[in-house]
Amino acid sequence: DQQVKQNSPSLSVQEGRISILNCDYTNSMFDYFLWYKKYPAEGPTFLISISSIKDKNEDGRFTVFLNKSAKHLSLHIVPSQPGDSAVYFCAASPSNDYKLSFGAGTTVTVRA
Amino acid sequence: DADVTQTPRNRITKTGKRIMLECSQTKGHDRMYWYRQDPGLGLRLIYYSFDVKDINKGEISDGYSVSRQAQAKFSLSLESAIPNQTALYFCATRGQKNQPQHFGDGTRLSIL
């Protein structure tokens, strides 16, 4: 049973607008969360992370929000650019564990 | 040079053949992982190793074996390949807790 779920397989957004990607988790022991970005023919690359002691973390155009009570996190990309077109994976782990659980991914397409 | 290198990048083989996928890293990380990616399922953990003498099964280890030949090398073997092992395989490394995993560019494996 998947412990990390990304219920939207795809998202299409116009260049310059906001992209919002969602992720839900079921394991209450998760307290470290990451987003990875993947281009075709490449491996996933780390984008941004957040620990459970925070509810927001920002890095340039990328912001991750964490709602622990709802077991939900989201990634905001503002403004979206054509180079952001990729597959985005949400991942999570307990802080005392070196293993990650991944969601199925959301394919983002940024339209010019 | 890539920090995490996977060979081969692509492989087509027949049912019943033995296959080895190799991974080497220059990051100096103790922890190494093998994942497979299937459409709609994200990345699933096959095996992981926390040092040369420590090998652990992941969530889908059946049909696979691994060898940690050195801190920098972690190989994945399919002893007798079957078509449902057709997938994209990724190797990853990780340093300290609450640090992201770093991925290679993957091996696309097709079993006919």
Side-chain angles (χ1 to χ4, degrees):
Chain A
D1 189 30
Q2 276 197 303
Q3 299 183 75
V4 178
K5 297 181 182 179
Q6 295 175 253
N7 292 320
S8 297
S10 63
L11 173 69
S12 180
V13 64
Q14 193 163 13
E15 182 178 2
R17 306 296 285 267
I18 185 171
S19 294
I20 300 176
L21 290 76
N22 293 303
C23 179
D24 297 295
Y25 61 96
T26 57
N27 188 338
S28 59
M29 298 300 292
F30 288 158
D31 56 8
Y32 176 57
F33 305 89
L34 310 89
W35 286 94
Y36 281 84
K37 177 179 181 178
K38 184 185 177 306
Y39 292 119
E42 296 183 10
T45 55
F46 170 70
L47 192 56
I48 193 169
S49 65
I50 188 168
S51 71
S52 59
I53 62 173
K54 295 185 175 181
D55 55 17
K56 176 182 174 181
N57 189 26
E58 211 168 337
D59 184 2
R61 296 184 298 111
F62 302 91
T63 302
V64 56
F65 296 91
L66 176 63
N67 182 333
K68 292 185 288 294
S69 61
K71 295 191 176 67
H72 177 82
L73 64 156
S74 61
L75 175 68
H76 292 205
I77 307 173
V78 185
S80 299
Q81 299 175 352
D84 297 330
S85 295
V87 179
Y88 291 78
F89 292 100
C90 174
S93 78
S95 59
N96 63 349
D97 193 334
Y98 285 90
K99 302 192 301 293
L100 292 175
S101 296
F102 284 84
T106 297
T107 300
V108 172
T109 303
V110 180
R111 309 184 310 272
Chain B
D1 286 344
D3 293 325
V4 183
T5 302
Q6 293 184 233
T7 55
R9 292 296 315 278
N10 292 281
R11 177 81 185 270
I12 301 173
T13 192
K14 294 182 178 179
T15 298
K17 295 290 188 180
R18 184 178 188 274
I19 302 154
M20 180 179 286
L21 308 184
E22 300 189 2
C23 177
S24 62
Q25 53 118 345
T26 59
K27 299 190 74 66
H29 290 165
D30 287 327
R31 297 158 192 90
M32 297 187 74
Y33 307 80
W34 275 104
Y35 292 91
R36 66 178 277 176
Q37 183 192 357
D38 298 277
L41 293 177
L43 281 78
R44 293 182 292 167
L45 184 62
I46 306 172
Y47 268 96
Y48 59 103
S49 169
F50 287 173
D51 65 40
V52 174
K53 296 180 181 180
D54 180 58
I55 305 287
N56 303 278
K57 292 183 177 181
E59 57 183 306
I60 53 162
S61 60
D62 286 349
Y64 301 95
S65 61
V66 291
S67 174
R68 186 81 184 265
Q69 301 95 324
Q71 187 210 36
K73 294 184 183 296
F74 191 36
S75 59
L76 175 72
S77 293
L78 288 69
E79 296 300 327
S80 179
I82 55 177
N84 74 3
Q85 292 178 311
T86 293
L88 192 51
Y89 289 84
F90 289 104
C91 173
T93 72
R94 191 175 189 183
Q96 298 303 310
K97 286 179 184 175
N98 290 354
Q99 293 295 313
Q101 292 183 9
H102 299 266
F103 287 82
D105 283 337
T107 295
R108 184 168 295 280
L109 179 62
S110 296
I111 300 163
L112 306 178

